Coordinates of all heavy atoms in Angstrom, one line a residue:
K699 N 9.2 13.0 -11.8 CA 8.7 14.2 -11.2 C 9.4 14.4 -9.9 O 9.9 13.5 -9.3 CB 7.2 14.0 -10.9 CG 6.3 13.8 -12.1 CD 6.2 15.0 -13.0 CE 5.3 14.7 -14.2 NZ 3.9 14.8 -13.9
Q700 N 9.5 15.7 -9.5 CA 10.1 16.1 -8.3 C 9.0 16.5 -7.3 O 8.2 17.4 -7.6 CB 11.1 17.3 -8.5 CG 12.3 17.0 -9.4 CD 13.2 16.0 -8.7 OE1 13.5 16.1 -7.5 NE2 13.8 15.1 -9.5
L701 N 8.9 15.8 -6.2 CA 8.0 16.1 -5.1 C 8.7 16.9 -4.0 O 9.8 16.5 -3.6 CB 7.3 14.9 -4.6 CG 6.6 13.9 -5.6 CD1 5.9 12.8 -4.8 CD2 5.6 14.7 -6.5
T702 N 8.1 17.9 -3.4 CA 8.7 18.7 -2.4 C 8.1 18.3 -1.0 O 6.9 18.3 -0.9 CB 8.5 20.2 -2.7 OG1 9.1 20.5 -3.9 CG2 9.2 21.0 -1.6
V703 N 8.9 18.1 0.0 CA 8.5 17.7 1.3 C 7.9 19.0 2.0 O 8.5 20.0 2.0 CB 9.6 17.2 2.2 CG1 9.1 16.9 3.6 CG2 10.2 15.9 1.5
T704 N 6.7 18.8 2.5 CA 6.1 19.9 3.2 C 5.9 19.7 4.7 O 5.9 20.6 5.5 CB 4.6 20.2 2.7 OG1 3.8 19.1 2.8 CG2 4.7 20.7 1.2
K705 N 5.9 18.4 5.1 CA 5.7 18.0 6.5 C 6.3 16.6 6.8 O 6.1 15.7 6.0 CB 4.3 18.1 6.9 CG 4.0 17.9 8.4 CD 2.5 18.0 8.6 CE 2.1 17.9 10.1 NZ 0.6 18.0 10.3
V706 N 6.9 16.5 7.9 CA 7.4 15.2 8.4 C 7.0 14.9 9.8 O 7.2 15.7 10.7 CB 9.0 15.1 8.3 CG1 9.5 13.8 8.8 CG2 9.5 15.4 6.9
E707 N 6.3 13.8 10.0 CA 5.8 13.4 11.3 C 6.4 12.1 11.8 O 6.4 11.1 11.0 CB 4.3 13.3 11.3 CG 3.6 14.5 10.8 CD 2.1 14.2 10.6 OE1 1.4 14.0 11.6 OE2 1.7 14.2 9.4
Q708 N 6.9 12.0 13.0 CA 7.4 10.8 13.6 C 6.3 10.0 14.2 O 5.7 10.5 15.1 CB 8.5 11.1 14.7 CG 9.2 9.8 15.2 CD 10.2 9.3 14.2 OE1 11.0 10.1 13.6 NE2 10.3 8.0 14.0
V709 N 5.9 8.9 13.5 CA 4.7 8.2 13.9 C 4.9 7.3 15.1 O 4.2 7.2 16.1 CB 4.1 7.4 12.7 CG1 2.9 6.6 13.2 CG2 3.8 8.3 11.6
N710 N 6.1 6.6 15.1 CA 6.5 5.7 16.2 C 8.0 5.6 16.2 O 8.7 6.5 15.6 CB 5.8 4.4 16.2 CG 6.3 3.5 15.0 OD1 7.1 3.9 14.2 ND2 5.8 2.3 14.9
H711 N 8.5 4.6 16.8 CA 10.0 4.5 17.0 C 10.8 4.4 15.7 O 11.9 4.7 15.6 CB 10.3 3.4 17.9 CG 9.9 2.0 17.4 ND1 8.6 1.7 17.2 CD2 10.6 1.0 16.9 CE1 8.5 0.5 16.7 NE2 9.7 0.0 16.5
D712 N 10.1 3.9 14.6 CA 10.9 3.6 13.4 C 10.1 4.0 12.1 O 10.6 3.7 11.0 CB 11.3 2.2 13.3 CG 10.1 1.2 13.2 OD1 9.0 1.7 13.2 OD2 10.3 0.0 13.2
T713 N 9.0 4.7 12.3 CA 8.2 5.1 11.1 C 7.9 6.5 11.0 O 7.5 7.1 12.1 CB 6.9 4.3 11.1 OG1 7.2 2.9 11.2 CG2 6.0 4.5 9.9
K714 N 8.0 7.1 9.8 CA 7.6 8.5 9.6 C 6.5 8.6 8.6 O 6.5 7.8 7.6 CB 8.8 9.3 9.2 CG 9.9 9.6 10.3 CD 11.0 10.5 9.8 CE 12.0 10.8 10.9 NZ 13.0 11.8 10.4
K715 N 5.7 9.6 8.7 CA 4.7 10.0 7.7 C 5.3 11.2 7.0 O 5.5 12.3 7.7 CB 3.3 10.3 8.3 CG 2.3 10.6 7.3 CD 1.0 11.2 7.9 CE 0.3 10.1 8.8 NZ -1.0 10.7 9.3
I716 N 5.5 11.1 5.7 CA 6.1 12.2 5.0 C 5.0 12.8 4.0 O 4.5 12.0 3.1 CB 7.3 11.8 4.2 CG1 8.3 11.1 5.2 CG2 8.0 13.0 3.6 CD1 9.5 10.5 4.5
T717 N 4.8 14.1 4.1 CA 3.8 14.7 3.1 C 4.6 15.5 2.1 O 5.5 16.3 2.4 CB 2.9 15.6 3.9 OG1 2.2 14.9 4.9 CG2 1.8 16.2 3.0
F718 N 4.2 15.3 0.8 CA 4.8 16.0 -0.3 C 3.8 16.9 -1.0 O 2.6 16.6 -1.1 CB 5.4 14.9 -1.3 CG 6.4 14.0 -0.8 CD1 6.0 12.8 -0.1 CD2 7.8 14.3 -0.9 CE1 7.0 11.9 0.3 CE2 8.7 13.4 -0.4 CZ 8.4 12.3 0.2
R719 N 4.4 17.9 -1.6 CA 3.6 18.8 -2.4 C 3.8 18.4 -3.9 O 4.9 18.2 -4.3 CB 4.0 20.3 -2.3 CG 3.1 21.2 -3.1 CD 3.5 22.7 -2.9 NE 4.8 23.0 -3.3 CZ 5.8 23.3 -2.5 NH1 5.6 23.4 -1.2 NH2 7.0 23.6 -3.0
L720 N 2.7 18.2 -4.6 CA 2.8 17.8 -6.0 C 3.3 19.0 -6.8 O 3.1 20.1 -6.5 CB 1.4 17.4 -6.5 CG 0.8 16.1 -5.8 CD1 -0.6 15.9 -6.4 CD2 1.7 14.9 -6.0
P721 N 3.9 18.7 -8.0 CA 4.5 19.8 -8.8 C 3.5 20.9 -9.2 O 3.9 22.1 -9.2 CB 5.1 19.1 -10.0 CG 5.3 17.7 -9.6 CD 4.2 17.4 -8.6
G722 N 2.3 20.5 -9.5 CA 1.3 21.5 -9.9 C 0.5 22.0 -8.8 O -0.5 22.7 -9.0
G723 N 0.8 21.7 -7.5 CA 0.0 22.2 -6.4 C -1.4 21.8 -6.4 O -1.7 20.6 -6.8
E724 N -2.3 22.7 -6.1 CA -3.7 22.4 -6.0 C -4.4 22.0 -7.3 O -5.5 21.5 -7.4 CB -4.5 23.6 -5.4 CG -4.1 23.8 -3.9 CD -4.5 22.7 -3.0 OE1 -5.7 22.2 -3.1 OE2 -3.7 22.3 -2.2
S725 N -3.7 22.3 -8.4 CA -4.3 22.0 -9.7 C -4.1 20.5 -10.1 O -4.5 20.1 -11.1 CB -3.6 22.8 -10.8 OG -2.2 22.5 -11.0
E726 N -3.4 19.7 -9.2 CA -3.1 18.3 -9.5 C -3.5 17.4 -8.3 O -3.6 17.9 -7.2 CB -1.6 18.1 -9.7 CG -1.0 18.7 -11.0 CD 0.4 18.4 -11.2 OE1 1.1 18.2 -10.2 OE2 0.9 18.4 -12.3
V727 N -3.9 16.2 -8.7 CA -4.0 15.1 -7.7 C -2.9 14.1 -8.1 O -2.4 14.1 -9.2 CB -5.4 14.5 -7.8 CG1 -6.5 15.4 -7.3 CG2 -5.7 13.9 -9.2
S728 N -2.6 13.2 -7.2 CA -1.5 12.2 -7.4 C -1.9 11.3 -8.6 O -1.0 11.0 -9.4 CB -1.2 11.4 -6.2 OG -2.2 10.4 -6.0
G729 N -3.1 10.9 -8.7 CA -3.5 10.0 -9.7 C -3.1 8.5 -9.6 O -3.2 7.7 -10.5
V730 N -2.5 8.2 -8.4 CA -2.0 6.9 -8.1 C -3.2 6.0 -7.7 O -3.8 6.2 -6.7 CB -1.0 6.8 -7.0 CG1 -0.5 5.4 -6.8 CG2 0.2 7.8 -7.4
P731 N -3.6 5.0 -8.5 CA -4.7 4.1 -8.2 C -4.5 3.4 -6.8 O -3.4 3.1 -6.4 CB -4.8 3.1 -9.3 CG -4.1 3.7 -10.4 CD -3.0 4.6 -9.8
F732 N -5.6 3.2 -6.1 CA -5.5 2.6 -4.8 C -4.8 1.2 -4.9 O -5.1 0.4 -5.8 CB -6.8 2.5 -4.0 CG -7.9 1.7 -4.7 CD1 -7.9 0.3 -4.7 CD2 -9.0 2.3 -5.4 CE1 -8.9 -0.4 -5.3 CE2 -10.0 1.6 -5.9 CZ -10.0 0.2 -5.9
G733 N -3.9 1.0 -4.0 CA -3.1 -0.3 -4.0 C -1.9 -0.2 -4.8 O -1.0 -1.1 -4.7
S734 N -1.7 0.8 -5.7 CA -0.6 0.9 -6.5 C 0.6 1.6 -5.8 O 0.4 2.3 -4.8 CB -0.9 1.6 -7.8 OG -1.9 0.9 -8.6
A735 N 1.8 1.5 -6.4 CA 2.9 2.1 -5.8 C 3.6 3.2 -6.7 O 3.3 3.2 -8.0 CB 4.0 1.0 -5.5
I736 N 4.4 4.1 -6.2 CA 5.2 4.9 -6.9 C 6.7 4.4 -6.8 O 7.0 3.7 -5.8 CB 5.1 6.4 -6.5 CG1 5.6 6.5 -5.0 CG2 3.7 6.9 -6.7 CD1 5.7 8.0 -4.6
L737 N 7.5 4.8 -7.7 CA 8.9 4.3 -7.6 C 9.8 5.5 -7.3 O 9.9 6.5 -8.0 CB 9.3 3.8 -9.0 CG 10.6 3.0 -9.1 CD1 10.6 1.8 -8.3 CD2 11.0 2.7 -10.5
T738 N 10.4 5.5 -6.1 CA 11.3 6.5 -5.6 C 12.7 6.2 -6.1 O 13.1 5.1 -6.2 CB 11.2 6.7 -4.1 OG1 11.8 5.5 -3.5 CG2 9.8 6.8 -3.6
S739 N 13.5 7.3 -6.2 CA 14.9 7.1 -6.6 C 15.8 8.2 -6.0 O 15.3 9.3 -5.8 CB 15.1 7.0 -8.1 OG 14.8 8.3 -8.7
H740 N 17.0 7.8 -5.7 CA 18.0 8.8 -5.2 C 19.4 8.3 -5.5 O 19.5 7.1 -5.6 CB 17.8 9.2 -3.7 CG 18.3 8.1 -2.8 ND1 17.7 7.0 -2.5 CD2 19.5 8.1 -2.1 CE1 18.4 6.2 -1.7 NE2 19.5 6.8 -1.4
W741 N 20.3 9.2 -5.5 CA 21.7 8.8 -5.7 C 22.4 8.8 -4.4 O 22.6 9.9 -3.8 CB 22.4 9.8 -6.7 CG 22.0 9.6 -8.1 CD1 20.9 10.1 -8.7 CD2 22.6 8.8 -9.1 NE1 20.8 9.7 -10.0 CE2 21.9 8.9 -10.3 CE3 23.8 7.9 -9.1 CZ2 22.2 8.2 -11.5 CZ3 24.1 7.3 -10.3 CH2 23.4 7.4 -11.4
P742 N 22.9 7.7 -3.9 CA 23.5 7.6 -2.6 C 24.9 8.2 -2.7 O 25.5 8.3 -3.8 CB 23.6 6.2 -2.3 CG 23.6 5.5 -3.6 CD 22.8 6.3 -4.5
T743 N 25.4 8.7 -1.6 CA 26.8 9.3 -1.5 C 27.6 8.5 -0.4 O 27.2 8.6 0.8 CB 26.8 10.8 -1.1 OG1 25.9 11.4 -2.1 CG2 28.1 11.4 -1.2
P744 N 28.7 7.8 -0.8 CA 29.1 7.6 -2.2 C 28.3 6.5 -2.9 O 27.7 5.7 -2.2 CB 30.6 7.2 -2.0 CG 30.5 6.4 -0.7 CD 29.6 7.1 0.2

Side-chain angles (χ1 to χ4, degrees):
K699 300 292 182 75
Q700 295 292 319
L701 306 184
T702 302
V703 178
T704 59
K705 187 177 181 180
V706 178
E707 303 168 69
Q708 188 76 43
V709 178
N710 69 358
H711 62 291
D712 63 4
T713 303
K714 287 185 177 182
K715 181 192 295 183
I716 308 173
T717 303
F718 298 88
R719 181 176 66 247
L720 299 175
E724 294 294 314
S725 66
E726 292 183 332
V727 294
S728 73
V730 180
F732 59 78
S734 296
I736 60 172
L737 191 64
T738 69
S739 65
H740 77 281
W741 287 86
T743 305

